[in-house]
Amino acid sequence: MQRFIPQFVWSLWRALPPRLRARLKAWSGFSPYPRLERLTVPESASTALHIHFATVVGAHRASNMLEPALASYLVARGHKVTVLLCDKALPACLTCSIWKSKASDKEEDTLTESPADQGLCEACFPAALRTWETSGAEVLTLSSLLTSSDKAEVRERCGRLVAGESVVLDGTDFKEDVVAGCLRYLCKGDEESISTELFRRYAEASMMIARAYKNFLSSTEVDCGVWVHGIYVPHGVLNRVFRSRSLPFLNYNTSYRQSRFYFVENDTYHHVFPGESADELGLDKVTGEEIGQIEEYLRSRASGSNDWQQFNNEPLSDTKRGLRELGFTIDDRPTAVMYTNVVWDARLHFRDSVYDRMEDWIADTVEYFRVAPHRKLILRVHPGELISHSVSRSRVVDHPALQDLPENITVVGADSKISSYDLADIADLILVFATKMSMELGRYGKPIICCGDAWVRGKGATIDPVTPDEYLEKLGSQNWQYLYDPSMRDRAIAYSHYIFEEKPIAFPIFDVSGDRKSFTLNPMKLQIEASKTDSSLADFEEAVRKVSV
């Protein structure tokens, strides 16, 4: 949509309060999702399956464009398809954000109104329902799967909870998902900031989802479930519910590369990708032609010309000048470049291996450079702290370790136009925690020390300490280049090929926005793809069939 709207109109729209935008959308009947026509496919499936889309949140754009498209194809192929949407019933969900809540809620780090009371549901459920009703899938609503006794039991249980306690229903503990949901709402990484009121809201939402699916799955046979993320509330809850019943499911999310989505069996990709080994992935079997193709794509990442998620628009053309303006001295001292994550994001997605918290990794690293003036550190704060659906309220620059820095430590803030890729080019050593960018940095031929569960960790492309002491020992090496083996670059490039080219499914059914920060479903492209015998839609159907066996 944005590509067709003048920039000044778009800026005015974005300046309106979120609640007002939601109400205007509801009043106008606007929907970002298209209506779908019945698809024509080459033939019917040989065996029909029941595929369930646990979309739940109608305001999640990616879910409500990809999933109805996939559902319409599966219906045309003869499968039974169901979807569950929240019909304004949850007391908290993914749509909620501290930035949309009352000023008093922000001051108290709490949530006093449900999404319905905030007016968020008016731009959520109706818009998704209009599209899903044209997909051919059977639409279920959350309220229809909950009895009055279910609601009373959940409300009574949650009314006794205190922030940080276990959230157990029918033998399953959803505390991790509740905490994740709270921190995502707060845009903070500190669990101590979660109020009991906020905790109870997300606990109640998790229990409502769990009980609704217990009722649904007790009366219906499902061959495969499909939903986004596999974390937060509600989708992290769904992972636990399906796993407790030994039911297969697929989690997915978008790749940075346009039109591509990752699908992972029976777990969130945040847990699966870091645990895969180089041998499992066959990284030594990538051909020279494939290496050349992926290197071309990796070079394009600096501009984002082949992506639909881009964090650093219009980077500076003169990185060294930008660094000098920050006080960085150009000299012969070896330089390490450190790449952070968004604080609350790192806490949610990854099972840390070297440090429990990214903040502790930052503190140890900065302390080393404070007493090592013969070396320099550039700390690059993730632009996603500011360029995001939820601007972070936990800022790396506020870390106590980053106050009163010596001249050999330079901080490049989240708002800086300095290119993160240019920084890698001038680095002698690269330090990462869990950033996805770490898999791209291997192409620069520099040693990379990984201290969190970045996807590339354990692939033979990075130096992977297992304790803080080992990390500091590597950091203090007399010559950083001795840490490097040229084969690391080959493995990093091979892994990039896997993660950007081999692993995702590319669906040529979307139009990318002008700023490359969103996309829309194109029904005409969907019909063209559905009419092919060998298509990305067929690849998805095969993935469903594989996990359903």
Side-chain angles (χ1 to χ4, degrees):
M1 179 187 73
Q2 185 178 347
R3 62 167 57 184
F4 305 112
I5 300 177
Q7 185 59 43
F8 78 93
V9 175
W10 185 254
S11 298
L12 288 174
W13 171 256
R14 296 299 300 173
L16 295 176
R19 293 189 190 197
L20 179 57
R21 292 204 305 266
R23 290 192 170 99
L24 287 173
K25 287 179 182 179
W27 172 77
S28 67
F30 167 79
S31 172
Y33 317 131
R35 298 180 66 84
L36 303 175
E37 300 293 337
R38 182 67 182 237
L39 296 179
T40 301
V41 297
E43 58 185 3
S44 298
S46 57
T47 304
L49 301 174
H50 177 186
I51 300 99
H52 175 73
F53 289 91
T55 309
V56 186
V57 182
H60 193 272
R61 285 179 61 89
S63 298
N64 289 279
M65 284 188 281
L66 176 67
E67 293 179 30
L70 299 177
S72 63
Y73 174 76
L74 293 171
V75 169
R77 289 273 291 158
H79 297 289
K80 176 180 179 180
V81 181
T82 54
V83 60
L84 177 69
L85 296 175
C86 173
D87 51 343
K88 312 179 185 181
L90 288 175
C93 69
L94 284 177
T95 309
C96 298
S97 169
I98 194 71
W99 299 108
K100 300 175 185 177
S101 295
K102 297 186 299 185
S104 57
D105 283 358
K106 185 176 179 181
E107 292 171 3
E108 300 295 329
D109 281 340
T110 194
L111 177 59
T112 58
E113 296 179 312
S114 69
D117 291 337
Q118 294 182 65
L120 301 179
C121 297
E122 294 305 319
C124 178
F125 175 61
L129 182 63
R130 282 194 292 271
T131 291
W132 274 105
E133 285 179 333
T134 64
S135 71
E138 178 186 354
V139 180
L140 309 171
T141 61
L142 182 61
S143 296
S144 69
L145 296 177
L146 291 169
T147 66
S148 56
S149 60
D150 288 329
K151 297 175 186 177
E153 179 190 355
V154 166
R155 195 174 301 113
E156 191 273 333
R157 282 172 173 262
C158 293
R160 300 196 306 264
L161 289 175
V162 176
E165 289 186 335
S166 295
V167 182
V168 180
L169 183 70
D170 301 325
T172 303
D173 188 356
F174 304 108
K175 175 186 171 181
E176 183 179 2
D177 309 300
V178 171
V179 169
C182 291
L183 294 181
R184 185 182 188 276
Y185 165 80
L186 291 172
C187 302
K188 285 187 172 183
D190 180 12
E191 293 182 27
E192 298 300 319
S193 63
I194 300 173
S195 70
T196 290
E197 181 176 34
L198 176 62
F199 188 83
R200 286 175 177 173
R201 279 192 175 274
Y202 276 92
E204 184 177 348
S206 69
M207 288 190 183
M208 288 175 67
I209 291 293
R211 183 52 59 84
Y213 270 91
K214 178 184 178 181
N215 295 341
F216 172 57
L217 296 172
S218 295
S219 59
T220 306
E221 290 189 5
V222 171
D223 293 296
C224 181
V226 182
W227 53 87
V228 74
H229 289 320
I231 53 177
Y232 308 124
V233 175
H235 300 107
V237 174
L238 288 162
N239 276 28
R240 298 182 197 278
V241 169
F242 269 61
R243 198 176 290 123
S244 71
R245 302 177 73 92
S246 299
L247 291 174
F249 60 89
L250 292 173
N251 284 163
Y252 73 89
N253 207 358
T254 55
S255 167
Y256 289 133
R257 194 168 184 178
Q258 68 183 42
S259 301
R260 286 163 169 79
F261 292 79
Y262 300 113
F263 290 86
V264 175
E265 299 178 7
N266 301 322
D267 202 351
T268 172
Y269 66 96
H270 302 100
H271 294 163
V272 171
F273 286 176
E276 295 175 323
S277 69
D279 289 340
E280 285 180 281
L281 302 179
L283 298 185
D284 59 342
K285 298 177 183 177
V286 178
T287 67
E289 181 180 358
E290 291 170 334
I291 291 294
Q293 290 173 345
I294 198 62
E295 284 190 310
E296 182 179 353
Y297 167 69
L298 291 176
R299 285 192 292 271
S300 79
R301 286 280 294 141
S303 65
S305 58
N306 292 299
D307 300 325
W308 58 11
Q309 290 179 313
Q310 171 68 358
F311 284 112
N312 194 358
N313 294 329
E314 301 176 357
L316 294 177
S317 58
D318 190 341
T319 295
K320 290 185 178 179
R321 179 181 176 182
L323 286 171
R324 283 195 296 268
E325 291 175 353
L326 293 175
F328 182 82
T329 303
I330 306 294
D331 56 34
D332 294 333
R333 284 177 290 177
T335 299
V337 177
M338 180 181 200
Y339 295 88
T340 69
N341 289 83
V342 177
V343 174
W344 60 265
D345 208 21
R347 291 293 303 280
L348 301 182
H349 291 179
F350 303 99
R351 295 170 176 169
D352 305 336
S353 54
V354 181
Y355 289 88
D356 290 335
R357 306 188 321 147
M358 183 181 70
E359 296 94 314
D360 297 332
W361 170 64
I362 293 173
D364 273 5
T365 305
V366 171
E367 181 59 29
Y368 167 78
F369 282 93
R370 281 186 184 274
V371 297
H374 60 292
R375 289 175 164 175
K376 294 186 295 183
L377 173 68
I378 299 173
L379 189 151
R380 182 29 161 153
V381 180
H382 198 302
E385 281 195 355
L386 300 178
I387 306 173
S388 172
H389 57 82
S390 298
V391 176
S392 180
R393 296 167 71 218
S394 293
R395 304 290 180 87
V396 165
V397 293
D398 295 329
H399 194 300
L402 297 180
Q403 313 311 309
D404 301 317
L405 294 173
E407 60 81 27
N408 66 319
I409 301 177
T410 302
V411 175
V412 178
D415 59 345
S416 175
K417 290 293 186 179
I418 291 175
S419 167
S420 298
Y421 297 97
D422 286 352
L423 293 178
D425 199 34
I426 67 173
D428 297 291
L429 174 68
I430 294 171
L431 308 174
V432 298
F433 192 70
T435 177
K436 296 182 182 71
M437 188 182 179
S438 56
M439 59 191 161
E440 306 171 52
L441 297 174
R443 76 182 183 90
Y444 290 90
K446 311 292 178 64
I448 302 173
I449 301 180
C450 180
C451 285
D453 281 342
W455 296 355
V456 74
R457 182 179 173 88
K459 310 301 187 293
T462 56
I463 299 108
D464 303 328
V466 296
T467 66
D469 286 344
E470 185 183 352
Y471 165 59
L472 293 172
E473 179 185 348
K474 301 290 186 186
L475 191 59
S477 299
Q478 184 175 2
N479 189 327
W480 289 332
Q481 194 59 35
Y482 291 162
L483 301 172
Y484 187 67
D485 182 329
S487 65
M488 290 178 171
R489 185 182 188 279
D490 296 336
R491 295 190 194 100
I493 297 295
Y495 184 68
S496 292
H497 179 270
Y498 166 75
I499 211 70
F500 285 118
E501 186 65 37
E502 184 179 344
K503 179 62 178 176
I505 298 177
F507 296 99
I509 59 176
F510 298 101
D511 294 326
V512 183
S513 66
D515 65 352
R516 295 193 169 271
K517 286 185 172 60
S518 63
F519 53 91
T520 54
L521 174 64
N522 186 318
M524 185 178 298
K525 290 182 179 179
L526 174 61
Q527 176 56 73
I528 293 172
E529 187 69 6
S531 65
K532 300 176 181 177
T533 303
D534 183 13
S535 71
S536 58
L537 300 171
D539 290 340
F540 168 74
E541 183 184 11
E542 179 58 29
V544 168
R545 194 172 295 282
K546 176 185 174 185
V547 75
S548 299
V549 173

